Amino acid sequence: MANMKIDVNAVWDGGVTGNGTLKGEYLDTKIAIPTSLGGSGNGANPKEVLVASVTTCYTAKLTFVLESRKLPVAELTVNSEAKISDNEFEIIHFPEIVLSADASDEQVQTAQRATEEAEKGCEVGNMLKKADVKIKVLGKVLMK
């Protein structure tokens, strides 16, 4: 991995029931403590930001893999869901790849394999796995 420096700034106002902003070069979002923990809930909570980070990483890696395979992608959507309990943290990615109508069966199979390959190549997901976060992919490949 290339050397990288990332600067992020958080500004908070109002104690536990307040909220804040989280800013980076291309990031600008409200943050807050969830209402379930006594906060205002008027912004993204830390776990939501974490899941958004791994979803962004996975989506970028999947885009790279699909393009490198020269697949006729018409549309790509990734929804992710986190299941969090006292003893488990699991993230499930639900990518949906829509290929052009003239895609071959081989291209459909290649796109399906790409959903798993991208998960293995996502650096953020790989860091989370070291902390015992489970990550699964349940992908769909459709034709337009």
Side-chain angles (χ1 to χ4, degrees):
M1 174 168 70
N3 291 339
M4 179 181 269
K5 180 178 185 265
I6 299 171
D7 293 312
V8 177
N9 172 262
V11 176
W12 193 268
D13 184 46
V16 171
T17 59
N19 58 22
T21 57
L22 181 65
K23 293 183 180 185
E25 185 175 1
Y26 297 104
L27 174 69
D28 187 355
T29 193
K30 290 181 181 182
I31 55 174
I33 296 170
T35 55
S36 63
L37 298 176
S40 70
N42 292 326
N45 67 65
K47 290 176 184 166
E48 185 177 21
V49 173
L50 181 66
V51 174
S53 178
V54 74
T55 300
T56 301
C57 178
Y58 174 78
T59 303
K61 187 65 177 183
L62 181 55
T63 299
F64 177 81
V65 172
L66 293 169
E67 190 169 304
S68 70
R69 304 293 184 273
K70 298 181 178 17
L71 296 174
V73 177
E75 187 178 322
L76 171 62
T77 306
V78 177
N79 293 303
S80 297
E81 172 184 290
K83 296 179 181 179
I84 304 166
S85 67
D86 288 340
N87 55 4
E88 188 171 71
F89 194 142
E90 178 182 56
I91 298 171
I92 305 169
H93 297 303
F94 298 93
E96 184 172 292
I97 302 166
V98 180
L99 299 178
S100 64
D102 61 346
S104 68
D105 287 341
E106 183 180 331
Q107 288 174 317
V108 170
Q109 291 170 5
T110 299
Q112 188 64 51
R113 284 191 304 272
T115 64
E116 295 294 330
E117 184 179 334
E119 190 275 319
K120 289 180 179 97
C122 170
E123 293 172 356
V124 176
N126 289 337
M127 285 188 284
L128 290 177
K129 287 178 201 170
K130 290 178 182 178
D132 292 329
V133 174
K134 293 174 177 53
I135 300 177
K136 294 194 312 192
V137 176
L138 300 174
K140 275 193 225 176
V141 179
L142 308 168
M143 295 185 48
K144 194 170 191 183

